[in-house]
Every structure is written in structure tokens, then in C-alpha cells.
């Protein structure tokens, strides 16, 4: 069972402490990238206050389109009880590149915008005065990043949308410290570094395998408790495993998202706990087999949406009210699923999905990749994407709600609609490696790759589930839904014949101005959006291999400025950006709510 690489979320209990540094920090843009030697790690010369977490773009006029360097700084006292502990700093999400200093010393650097990173900072802390924490964040759209920047004549979606700021993807490049920054303290000697839980079902029993990684070469003992059952852990070289059985287990699923409490402990010679960590787990299985997606051995059908972490003022900053409301609205519509388009979402969102029984396709930020950008860019991106899939799996592996890892959204092989053979080949190599890494790290979940219209079909066969985004009746066949549906039907049947794998339509939808009406339906009207969705759902309903339909998008969201995006917005939401339903949301409710 894979382990290590722990990104366990900080937790407070009798052995562990957490200090959430959310609040107002000092902030300064640094377009000239002034020398760090100038002392900015200790004091910012002309700072203003900024909330953490939050994107900077919607807060200050001069910061709206700033994607270069910016400085964050705060001061924090650490309790003296922590002197005998090991102290870490954890950044939940810094988009895109970050560097962290504690009292003037660099403790961490990280690339990639939506996954946490951790630094041990015990050696840098001071105890008789506040500690100065400085973090730089920068979100330049560079060719070798994931998602990539457009580069010279770069393609991707930007090539079509031509927006400002220029991106290869169709959402606003929000920047900043987007999730909490935490300090946390754990027992200094042996402590739990990672927990990996996998579940299977035998008859009516749930079988739960737990692997615990402890730091160093811990060779002591531990215990794991699940409900009322306990098992011993005997560590060797820092790792131990145990298997527990839950007779007549309540299997996790959308109808009964039952969670079992699990606690792992390290114990000393007298059997006293020296460290512990608790989580809630779901017992369930998921597999792609025989052209179906099976949850607990039964065919599952995904009804849902693609989303964004996007809201006025917060931008992409953690927004718990938004999350609670969004789940409420998705349930109101009868949705049971969504995809974390186009990057990993907040850990709290994953907790809510576990609790509410949502089936999540969990995606790394590999959006806007174009394999026509050349070998250097491909090599740099592979390194980033491999790290992202490792970090994502390390972070989210214990969430029952995550049922599929998605390794990319809409990669291109040269120009849109013209697949260059070398680019197809380069992409195939890239995705095979990424897919194998996902399977190596997590053999328990299927993988997926989401293809663009006109993209290389062979890439769709790399994952276990086929994902496709389709816009016949919008980007092609405008206003002609009959013709659109014919093309769609023919293509789906062909993909099924060719691959025999379960297919999820991971996007389909139309831009729709709220309050704009037309009968007969016309593009941009609420009627057209409803009719488009109805037709697509009908096509899928007649095809059992279509195991999921995700409408694009849950809500209208901000994009760059450009002629393709009215008012700097993508209007494909079935809700407005402030979460008011369009007609399509009511239609989906009438179609999806199980009565
Ligand atoms: C897509 C992309 C998504 C866009 C959407 C659109 O295929 O995956 O990010 O927003 O199309 O609305 O064009």
C-alpha cells in the first residue's frame, strides 16, 4: 500500500496544536522584483493590509491584472509550550509560485497554485518576541508551468479567446494566498506523518486497511481504532499496517454517506498514547468495469456540474459560505456529483463532499496544455504535473467522495482541430506517465483524461474512464440543436465501439444571459440553455455507457476580458455568479431530483 509524502491536515488534539494565521496581513506589490536583500523579508516599505485567505485581484484597482510578484507579511507569537514540540508552517494554496521566510530565513519554496506545502520551522522560531513570516506569491503565466502560460503564439483556449490577461484557460488568473496559512506543533520525537486508508468489501463486511507512517525510523508500537474495534500497529522503519473488519458495514454512497471515525495512535512502552490523529472514513469501492462505473459493485450515474472556486471580492480565496450554499443548491437540483474543474478545491469542500455523499472527479490543474509547444515546455510541465498528482493524492486519498483522479482537461496537439502527429505522440508519452503515477500512488481509484472537441481520440483511452467536453449546438452548429444532437449521437456511439469504457460528458452547456428569453429558443437565452441541456441528457439517457453528465457550469464565473466573453464573464452557469437560478436550474431539478 503506498504511503509517505504526508500532507495530513493540521489537527488539534491532546498531542497536537494548530494556529490559524487567517486575518489581515501586510501586503505589497513588487512589480520590479526588488532585491530581497533590501530587507523586505522583515519589513515592507509601503504596505497596505490584505485579508488571508483571499485573491488580491478584486481588492485593489492597481492589483486587478497584476500577476507578478507580491509580498505578504505578518507577525506571530508562538506559545512557549511549543518549544519542546516540532513546529511546521503549512500554506494551503498560494497561486502560483511561493517562497516563505521565517525571521529572514527561507524555509520553503513551492510551485503550483492549489495544493498545500509544509516546512519545518522549529530551528527558525524565536520565543521572546513575535516571529516575522514573509511570503512572496507570483502568478506569471509562463510556458513551462501547469497550467501553462500562452508563450509565443501559444495556443490552448487563449488562442481562441484572446483574452486579457492572456491565459491558456478560460477563467480569471486569480492570484494570492488562497487558503489558510497554519502553524502547527506535533510531538518532537516520534509523530504521525501520514495515514493511508483503503477499503474493500467482502460479503457484508467492510475491510479497512490502514497504513501509518511515522517520522524517522520509528520502530515502536501504535494502535488504530475504528468505531469500537482496535488493532495493534507494530512499526518497522517508520511504517505499520493493520486491517480491521466492520461486520455489516454501512457502505458510503450518495444515498447514505455514512462515515466511520478512525483514530491512529503511537503508544509508549506503558501503552500510553504519545501522538494521535483522527479522521472520518467511508467504506466503499469504486471501479470502472465493463463499460460501467461501479460504486460498491452497483452501476453509478453521475449527475452534476463542473464548477469554479470563484466569487466576487474573494476571487479564488477560501469561501466557506459559498461552499455551504453551493452544496445546498447542488442538492436542490438533485446533483450527486461534480468535477473540481480545473484545479484541486479546498480541503473543506472535500470534507463536505464526504459528509453529503457527493461523487467527486478530482482534477489537477493540467488545463491548457498544448503539446505543440515543444519538448522543453513539455518536460517542464511533466515535472510539475507529476508533482501535482502526487500532492493531490497525498492530500485527498482518504476522502471517500473522490472517486476518480482526472489527469488533464482539454489538452491540445498543436492547433485546435489539427492534431500534429509529433504532438500527439508527445502527449501520449506524457499522459501515460502521469496516469501510471496516479495508479502507482493509488491503485484503488480509476483515472480519467478529459478530451477537447476535435482532440486526439487516442488520448481518451489512456485513463480508465473517458471524459469528453462537447459543445455541438454552441461552438459548432450554433442555434441548430437537431444537427448538433445527430453529431453527438454518432460520436458517442463511435467512442463506445472504439474504447468500450464508461464515458462521462464532463462539460456541455451554453452561455446564457440571465433574463434573456426567446421562443423558439435562440442562443444566449434561458430557453436555449434549457433545451440544449434537455437534448444532451436525452441522448445520454438512451446510452447506458454514458455514466455521467456534468453541465458546464454550476454558476457564471469571471474570465479575462475579450470579445468572446461578455463583461469578462463566462455565462454558462445554470446559476448566476450570485447563485440565482436560471431556468435551466429549475429544469435540472425537475429532471434530477429523485422523488
Ligand atoms: C471548455 C473548458 C472550460 C471552458 C468551457 C467554455 O471546454 O474546459 O474551461 O470554460 O469550455 O465555456 O468554453
Amino acid at each position: 500500500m503506498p504511503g509517505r509524502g504526508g500532507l495530513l491536515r493540521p489537527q488539534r488534539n491532546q498531542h497536537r496544536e494548530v494556529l490559524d494565521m487567517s486575518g489581515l496581513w501586510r501586503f505589497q506589490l513588487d512589480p520590479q522584483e526588488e532585491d530581497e536583500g533590501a530587507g523586505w523579508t522583515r519589513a515592507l516599505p509601503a504596505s497596505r493590509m490584505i485579508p488571508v485567505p483571499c485573491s488580491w485581484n478584486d481588492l485593489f484597482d492597481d492589483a486587478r491584472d497584476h500577476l507578478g510578484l507580491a509580498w505578504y507579511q505578518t507577525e506571530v507569537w508562538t506559545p512557549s509550550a511549543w518549544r519542546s514540540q516540532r513546529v511546521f508552517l503549512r500554506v494551503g494554496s498560494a497561486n502560483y509560485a511561493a517562497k516563505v521566510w521565517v525571521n529572514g530565513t527561507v524555509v520553503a519554496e513551492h510551485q503550483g497554485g492549489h495544493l498545500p506545502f509544509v516546512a519545518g520551522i522549529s530551528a527558525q522560531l524565536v520565543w521572546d518576541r513575535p516571529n516575522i513570516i514573509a511570503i512572496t506569491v507570483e502568478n506569471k503565466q509562463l510556458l513551462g508551468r501547469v497550467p501553462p502560460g500562452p508563450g509565443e503564439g501559444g495556443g490552448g483556449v487563449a488562442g481562441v479567446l484572446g483574452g486579457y490577461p492572456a491565459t491558456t484557460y478560460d477563467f480569471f488568473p486569480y492570484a494570492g494566498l488562497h487558503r489558510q496559512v497554519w502553524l502547527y506543533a506535533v510531538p518532537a520525537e516520534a509523530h504521525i506523518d501520514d495515514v493511508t486508508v483503503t477499503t474493500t468489501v467482502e460479503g457484508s463486511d467492510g475491510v479497512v486497511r490502514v497504513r501509518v507512517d511515522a517520522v524517522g525510523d520509528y520502530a515502536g508500537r501504535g494502535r488504530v481504532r475504528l468505531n469500537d474495534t482496535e488493532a495493534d500497529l507494530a512499526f518497522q522503519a517508520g511504517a505499520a499496517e493493520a486491517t480491521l473488519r466492520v461486520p455489516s458495514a454501512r457502505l458510503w454512497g450518495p444515498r447514505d454517506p455514512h462515515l466511520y471515525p478512525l483514530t491512529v495512535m503511537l503508544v509508549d512502552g506503558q501503552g500510553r498514547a504519545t501522538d494521535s490523529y483522527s479522521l472520518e472514513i467511508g467504506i466503499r469501492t469504486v471501479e470502472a468495469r465493463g463499460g460501467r462505473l461501479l460504486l460498491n459493485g452497483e452501476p453509478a450515474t453521475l449527475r452534476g456540474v463542473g464548477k469554479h472556486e470563484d466569487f466576487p471580492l474573494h476571487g479564488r480565496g477560501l469561501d466557506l459560505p459559498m461552499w455551504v450554499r453551493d452544496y445546498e443548491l447542488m442538492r436542490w437540483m438533485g446533483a450527486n456529483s461534480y468535477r473540481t474543474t480545473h484545479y484541486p478545491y479546498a480541503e473543506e469542500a472535500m470534507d463536505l463532499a464526504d459528509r453529503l455523499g457527493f461523487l467527486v472527479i478530482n482534477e489537477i490543474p493540467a488545463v491548457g496544455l498544448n503539446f505543440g509547444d515543444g519538448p522543453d515546455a513539455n518536460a517542464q510541465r511533466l515535472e510539475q504535473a507529476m508533482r501535482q498528482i502526487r500532492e493531490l493524492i497525498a492530500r485527498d486519498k482518504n476522502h471517500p467522495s473522490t472517486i476518480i483522479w482526472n489527469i488533464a482537461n482539454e489538452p491540445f496537439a498543436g492547433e485546435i482541430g489539427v492534431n500534429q502527429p509529433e504532438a500527439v505522440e508527445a502527449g501520449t508519452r506524457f499522459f501515460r506517465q502521469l496516469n501510471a503515477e496516479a495508479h502507482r500512488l493509488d491503485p484503488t481509484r480509476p483515472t480519467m483524461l478529459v478530451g477537447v472537441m476535435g482532440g486526439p481520440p487516442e488520448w481518451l483511452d489512456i485513463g480508465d474512464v473517458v471524459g469528453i467536453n462537447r459543445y455541438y449546438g454552441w461552438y459548432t452548429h450554433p442555434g441548430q440543436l437537431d444537427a448538433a444532437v445527430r453529431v453527438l449521437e454518432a460520436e458517442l456511439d463511435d467512442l463506445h465501439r472504439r474504447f468500450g469504457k464508461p464515458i462521462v460528458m464532463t462539460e456541455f452547456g451554453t452561455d446564457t444571459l440571465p433574463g434573456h428569453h426567446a421562443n423558439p429558443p435562440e442562443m444566449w437565452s434561458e430557453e436555449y440553455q434549457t433545451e440544449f441541456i434537455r437534448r444532451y441528457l436525452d441522448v445520454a439517457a438512451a446510452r447506458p455507457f454514458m455514466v455521467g453528465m456534468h453541465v458546464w457550469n454550476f454558476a457564471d464565473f469571471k474570465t479575462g476580458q475579450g470579445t468572446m466573453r461578455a463583461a469578462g464573464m463566462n455565462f454558462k452557469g445554470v446559476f448566476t455568479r450570485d447563485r440565482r437560478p436560471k431556468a435551466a436550474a429549475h429544469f435540472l431539478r425537475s429532471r434530477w431530483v429523485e422523488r
Side-chain angles (χ1 to χ4, degrees):
M1 191 191 306
R4 293 281 177 203
L7 284 177
L8 282 185
R9 191 134 44 113
Q11 177 169 104
R12 190 175 190 199
N13 61 27
Q14 66 272 44
H15 307 288
R16 296 172 163 247
E17 265 294 344
V18 182
L19 199 156
D20 181 350
M21 291 199 283
S22 299
L24 290 173
W25 290 43
R26 286 182 287 276
F27 178 71
Q28 188 167 343
L29 301 180
D30 186 9
Q32 310 308 325
E33 306 201 2
E34 303 208 10
D35 183 9
E36 286 155 15
W40 286 33
T41 64
R42 291 184 179 272
L44 296 177
S47 67
R48 50 193 162 183
M49 302 309 280
I50 191 168
V52 172
C54 195
S55 300
W56 66 59
N57 313 75
D58 286 1
L59 301 182
F60 311 111
D61 293 354
D62 58 331
R64 217 269 311 279
D65 300 319
H66 178 74
L67 301 178
L69 203 69
W71 287 80
Y72 288 78
Q73 198 210 68
T74 193
E75 293 182 359
V76 59
W77 281 90
T78 38
S80 32
W82 287 18
R83 290 182 92 140
S84 56
Q85 308 264 94
R86 285 268 309 271
V87 183
F88 295 87
L89 180 148
R90 188 189 203 249
V91 177
S93 161
N95 196 24
Y96 178 89
K99 192 165 174 181
V100 183
W101 292 258
V102 174
N103 299 319
T105 304
V106 179
V107 294
E109 291 188 58
H110 185 258
Q111 302 264 322
H114 312 272
L115 289 159
F117 59 96
V118 177
I121 59 165
S122 295
Q124 285 74 35
L125 288 175
V126 293
W127 303 94
D128 54 349
R129 57 186 189 279
N131 293 281
I132 304 173
I133 314 287
I135 305 181
T136 55
V137 182
E138 157 283 275
N139 192 19
K140 294 175 192 164
Q141 303 297 297
L142 303 181
L143 199 64
R145 289 184 166 175
V146 177
E152 290 285 309
V157 181
V160 189
L161 300 177
Y164 176 76
T167 58
T168 63
Y169 47 83
D170 181 31
F171 50 90
F172 193 81
Y174 279 116
L177 290 175
H178 283 158
R179 296 178 194 143
Q180 305 94 326
V181 179
W182 275 314
L183 296 188
Y184 65 96
V186 299
E189 308 295 319
H191 61 260
I192 296 159
D193 187 39
D194 200 8
V195 181
T196 308
V197 180
T198 55
T199 63
T200 51
V201 178
E202 288 176 12
S204 62
D205 290 2
V207 180
V208 179
R209 284 180 73 198
V210 183
R211 174 185 164 126
V212 182
D213 289 289
V215 287
D217 286 334
Y218 181 69
R221 306 196 67 77
R223 263 201 313 274
V224 48
R225 186 186 314 130
L226 173 63
N227 250 8
D228 305 325
T229 328
E230 281 207 358
D232 286 333
L233 294 168
F235 283 85
Q236 281 184 343
E241 287 191 21
T243 302
L244 298 102
R245 263 179 190 273
V246 180
S248 306
R250 273 174 76 181
L251 301 186
W252 185 94
R255 286 210 184 82
D256 181 21
H258 185 73
L259 298 174
Y260 287 93
L262 180 115
T263 299
V264 300
M265 281 161 273
L266 305 185
V267 298
D268 63 15
Q270 280 76 50
R272 282 184 307 239
T274 58
D275 188 18
S276 66
Y277 192 90
S278 298
L279 59 160
E280 296 198 303
I281 63 150
I283 300 175
R284 59 115 186 85
T285 61
V286 57
E287 42 180 336
R289 184 153 47 87
R292 299 284 184 281
L293 184 66
L294 303 178
L295 183 72
N296 300 324
E298 301 287 328
T301 308
L302 313 182
R303 303 185 302 266
V305 290
K307 280 179 59 53
H308 269 294
E309 290 187 320
D310 169 272
F311 211 70
L313 303 186
H314 302 233
R316 198 142 288 132
L318 175 69
D319 188 343
L320 294 178
M322 181 203 85
W323 270 115
V324 169
R325 183 64 181 153
D326 284 4
Y327 277 111
E328 190 68 12
L329 292 173
M330 287 192 281
R331 277 153 61 102
W332 174 86
M333 274 197 310
N336 65 6
S337 176
Y338 69 88
R339 177 166 63 118
T340 69
T341 41
H342 290 305
Y343 38 80
Y345 290 172
E347 291 169 279
E348 290 82 353
M350 300 298 103
D351 290 345
L352 287 165
D354 291 346
R355 195 162 275 279
L356 297 170
F358 273 80
L359 304 170
V360 176
I361 300 177
N362 206 332
E363 172 164 311
I364 57 168
V367 51
L369 301 176
N370 190 339
F371 287 89
D373 287 342
D376 288 353
N378 290 344
Q380 288 172 39
R381 292 171 191 170
L382 182 61
E383 197 189 309
Q384 314 249 349
M386 292 287 265
R387 205 190 43 248
Q388 290 168 347
I389 198 82
R390 284 183 204 123
E391 291 174 355
L392 176 62
I393 293 176
R395 194 195 75 161
D396 286 351
K397 62 189 170 186
N398 295 326
H399 287 285
S401 52
T402 289
I403 56 157
I404 296 173
W405 302 117
N406 184 34
I407 60 170
N409 180 71
E410 297 203 341
F412 292 84
E415 317 238 323
I416 289 186
V418 187
N419 298 319
Q420 297 159 358
E422 322 81 77
V424 175
E425 188 46 42
T428 303
R429 282 196 303 273
F430 185 103
F431 293 126
R432 285 217 177 111
Q433 283 186 68
L434 201 52
N435 192 59
E437 186 66 356
H439 278 310
R440 184 182 74 78
L441 294 167
D442 180 6
T444 73
R445 289 177 177 88
T447 57
M448 164 189 258
L449 181 147
V450 168
V452 66
M453 272 161 63
E458 50 269 63
W459 289 350
L460 297 175
D461 200 22
I462 291 172
D464 306 304
V465 178
V466 172
I468 50 167
N469 299 341
R470 291 300 178 262
Y471 292 93
Y472 307 120
W474 186 254
Y475 291 121
T476 72
H477 310 82
Q480 303 148 70
L481 290 179
D482 289 342
V485 161
R486 282 195 294 276
V487 179
L488 182 67
E489 287 175 327
E491 191 193 11
L492 294 182
D493 293 337
D494 183 53
L495 288 174
H496 172 57
R497 265 194 303 276
R498 192 156 169 182
F499 303 127
K501 292 184 175 176
I503 304 177
V504 179
M505 196 174 301
T506 35
E507 289 180 25
F508 62 106
T510 65
D511 284 271
T512 303
L513 297 175
H516 180 61
H517 293 284
N519 190 29
E522 276 180 16
M523 292 173 78
W524 297 90
S525 69
E526 298 201 21
E527 287 79 1
Y528 193 80
Q529 183 182 36
T530 304
E531 194 53 24
F532 178 103
I533 293 172
R534 183 202 314 277
R535 300 282 194 106
Y536 272 60
L537 291 184
D538 286 347
V539 168
R543 290 167 173 76
F545 58 84
M546 292 302 301
V547 301
M549 293 296 281
H550 281 178
V551 176
W552 189 255
N553 188 285
F554 171 73
D556 297 340
F557 60 91
K558 187 166 168 60
T559 66
Q561 306 174 57
T563 49
M564 289 278 288
R565 291 288 174 257
M569 293 279 292
N570 184 311
F571 277 107
K572 295 192 185 71
V574 296
F575 290 90
T576 60
R577 200 180 189 207
D578 61 352
R579 277 44 178 177
R580 295 167 198 272
K582 300 181 190 172
H586 290 281
F587 164 70
L588 286 169
R589 175 173 161 79
S590 73
R591 183 91 178 214
W592 279 348
V593 170
E594 290 170 5
R595 287 169 218 280

